[in-house]
Amino acid sequence: MKKIFTIITMAMMIFVMGINNVKAQGCALSEGSFALNLGLGMGNCDYRYHNYTYDGFAVPTFNAAFDYAFLGNVINQHGSVSGGLYMGFGRGSKKDGGYKLIDGRWRIGTRGALHYTWVTNLDTYAGLSVGYRSDKYKFKDNNGNTSDSTPDSRFDCFGFAGARYDFGGIAVYSELAFTNFAFFQIGVAFMF
């Protein structure tokens, strides 16, 4: 708990120090730059079987995204447009009565975003991701018997928004998304 408090305190101090310099100096992700996000996320399960719904339990995920800024100097030289790839996988479980439901999931796809730097070294962005997603569910009873569901595979399309604060090539990032795969992420980014 102390580590989480320390991390949150440091992030707030960085934000407050950065907000004092509200005049941005160019774009944090300028044309020709790359960014690689590696982070942990939190999603939730919404599996429905016949008339019963298994929902409301957390599914932790590992996520990665690669962005390449191919168009720069937009919005008064403080913005850029990027394209890239994303992937993720996760696993979570919930006990319910005599059963345990395990949700294993993965996804892969492309993404595009509009970036804007309104504070020096702070890359804020929003965009759209399009790809493929699969969830597979496993049921276990108290006797050790298991049964697998057929994979729930489908088209994956969602909007996202985030921010990266660059410390000179290494950044911290946070991202929100309109998907239950990982609606929240936090992690480290490498910008080059």
Side-chain angles (χ1 to χ4, degrees):
M1 191 68 173
K2 288 181 182 179
K3 288 181 183 179
I4 293 172
F5 178 75
T6 303
I7 291 169
I8 291 171
T9 303
M10 289 175 56
M12 290 301 293
M13 287 175 44
I14 291 166
F15 180 77
V16 169
M17 288 186 313
I19 202 90
N20 289 332
N21 187 7
V22 294
K23 177 83 172 139
Q25 304 295 319
C27 186
L29 190 69
S30 58
E31 184 176 1
S33 297
F34 298 92
L36 174 65
N37 291 355
L38 300 173
L40 299 175
M42 187 57 64
N44 72 316
C45 180
D46 62 354
Y47 181 66
R48 288 170 182 76
Y49 181 72
H50 295 294
N51 292 330
Y52 192 80
T53 300
Y54 294 87
D55 63 356
F57 70 90
V59 180
T61 60
F62 171 78
N63 302 278
F66 178 76
D67 296 317
Y68 171 69
F70 61 86
L71 179 63
N73 296 326
V74 297
I75 312 174
N76 297 325
Q77 284 81 36
H78 297 292
S80 65
V81 178
S82 71
L85 305 170
Y86 72 90
M87 59 83 57
F89 58 89
R91 186 177 174 104
S93 63
K94 177 182 181 178
K95 287 187 178 181
D96 193 3
Y99 292 93
K100 181 178 183 180
L101 172 68
I102 302 167
D103 180 357
R105 55 179 57 178
W106 61 268
R107 69 179 179 178
I108 190 166
T110 63
R111 69 190 225 156
L114 173 65
H115 300 259
Y116 186 75
T117 301
W118 55 278
V119 173
T120 303
N121 297 332
L122 181 65
D123 175 29
T124 56
Y125 56 92
L128 183 68
S129 295
V130 178
Y132 187 77
R133 169 186 173 166
S134 181
D135 288 82
K136 186 166 184 179
Y137 306 96
K138 179 182 280 191
F139 296 91
K140 286 186 178 182
D141 65 18
N142 291 335
N143 298 325
N145 299 320
T146 62
S147 64
D148 291 345
S149 71
T150 56
D152 178 14
S153 302
R154 59 187 176 266
F155 176 70
D156 193 28
C157 181
F158 59 91
F160 64 93
R164 286 186 279 251
Y165 192 87
D166 186 9
F167 293 99
I170 298 178
V172 293
Y173 86 95
S174 179
E175 202 169 282
L176 299 173
F178 295 101
T179 176
N180 71 344
F181 187 95
F183 50 83
F184 174 75
Q185 294 179 41
I186 189 165
V188 177
F190 301 95
M191 300 177 74
F192 44 97

